Amino acid sequence: MKMLDYSAGRLHVFFVVLLQFVVVTHSSAAINTTWEEWKMKHSKVYDNETEFSYRRAVWTKNMNLVLKHNQEAAAGKHSFTLGLNPLSDMTAEEINQKLNGFKVEEAVHLRNYTFKELHFLPVPQSVDWRTDGLVSPVRNQGSCGSCWAFSSMGALEGQMKRRTGVLVPLSPQNLIDCSTTDGNYGCRGGFISKAFSYVIRNTGVDSERFYPYEQKNGKCRYSVKGKAGSCSDFHILPHGDEKTLQAVVASVGPVAVAVNAMLSSFHLYRGGLYNVPSCNPRLINHAVLVVGYGTDAGQEYWLVKNSWGTAWGEEGFIRLAKNKNNLCGIASFAVYPTL
Ligand SMILES: *[C@@H]1O[C@H](CO)[C@@H](O)[C@H](O)[C@H]1NC(C)=O
Ligand SMILES: *[C@@H]1O[C@H](CO)[C@@H](O)[C@H](O)[C@H]1NC(C)=O
Ligand SMILES: *[C@@H]1O[C@H](CO)[C@@H](O)[C@H](O)[C@H]1NC(C)=O
């Protein structure tokens, strides 16, 4: 009996190995073509042969992850798909180091929120502030940990639009260059709350048009001539409270939040409802913007704007599972400014 089990196991292993070998052999030409196309599409040029080989190896690993995940998704095991995007020649560690500049020390504030009960209107089933023109086009932070500046300015843009009737993209570069004395670190990261602290102290922030994005730390060049936004205060929502976040999104507008964006599945997210139970709400590292919420096939989601360009996710957005115990920490650190 024991012998039989053993040999059956061996046969099974042999079969699996053989199958993998066949699959890999048959698809290597196709993978090469995909690599060439991907490189062209995203204008990838590498400095030397060593760099090229390394990037190709990283890309191949991500490619295999995408193929495997999407096969499982087709079999109904996942509610979202993965895809190649401009980040696909970087390891998860590199992306987390370079792009995810939300400072975790901000968690200090979690015990000291300043949220005040609003007189909420009845909360609708779904909200999408894009349709009301409160959301500016998706941006690309590039190789700079400035997510905190994009996220905070996204929330302020929404409030400015509500007040003035005009949607004016605000300048993350202004914050990168000018808010170090408020405790931010430019491309090395920053805090949503300290972004608003700067705007309050400075009594304004410039428009993107006046003070364009450069993807690197620079000298502060704020000028009142380019001023397009201001705020007088900001409020931190109760930690991990998705119900309150929903009420605020519905009645106030887009809210700046931070999430756990550490997993490869987040980096390679293509579309669908991102629902990864292992997305720990305590490991938040990336600031984004909640611009609405809704329901898809009976599953609730948050509609979230990222700053990794439109080639990532659903035209730059991600739908993140809602009311799943604060998945990815979506409600761990939510902030909105008041004018
Ligand atoms: C991949 O494709 C490129 C361009 O078509 C070709 O030069 C190269 O030899 C191919 N490499 C492999 C391993 O097939
Ligand atoms: C190849 O390029 C990489 C990335 O630019 C660089 O870090 C590395 O030093 C270069 N290696 C050689 C041998 O030039
Ligand atoms: C809590 O808020 C008070 C008043 O604004 C402030 O003085 C204090 O430093 C805050 N505590 C923490 C832990 O952030």
Side-chain angles (χ1 to χ4, degrees), residues 17-75:
V17 168
L18 190 69
L19 196 69
Q20 275 176 353
F21 179 72
V22 170
V23 168
V24 168
T25 312
H26 273 250
S27 59
S28 88
I31 286 188
N32 191 31
T33 309
T34 313
W35 161 251
E36 295 296 335
E37 282 169 1
W38 176 87
K39 225 157 39 88
M40 194 108 85
K41 184 174 173 190
H42 303 296
S43 314
K44 295 281 178 177
V45 182
Y46 301 107
D47 288 352
N48 54 55
E49 200 52 44
T50 316
E51 182 69 8
F52 176 90
S53 312
Y54 177 65
R55 290 299 153 200
R56 178 160 176 161
V58 171
W59 179 92
T60 304
K61 225 175 136 194
N62 282 328
M63 175 75 181
N64 287 332
L65 212 85
V66 169
L67 290 174
K68 180 168 176 283
H69 177 98
N70 288 353
Q71 261 170 18
E72 291 171 0

Side-chain angles (χ1 to χ4, degrees), residues 102 106 108-110 112-118 151-153 155-156 159 175 182 184 191-202 230-238 248 252 254-257 333-339:
F102 178 81
E106 194 144 37
V108 167
H109 292 270
L110 299 179
N112 203 17
Y113 67 85
T114 57
F115 171 73
K116 293 183 187 75
E117 280 294 337
L118 301 168
S151 159
S152 53
M153 288 308 94
L156 189 54
Q159 294 312 299
L175 288 157
D182 303 275
N184 294 319
F191 305 82
I192 294 168
S193 58
K194 289 172 181 173
F196 293 131
S197 297
Y198 164 76
V199 178
I200 296 165
R201 172 177 72 78
N202 191 52
S230 60
C231 65
S232 61
D233 203 358
F234 60 88
H235 297 290
I236 302 169
L237 303 194
V248 171
V252 173
V255 174
V257 300
F333 192 84
V335 191
Y336 70 93
T338 47
L339 307 190

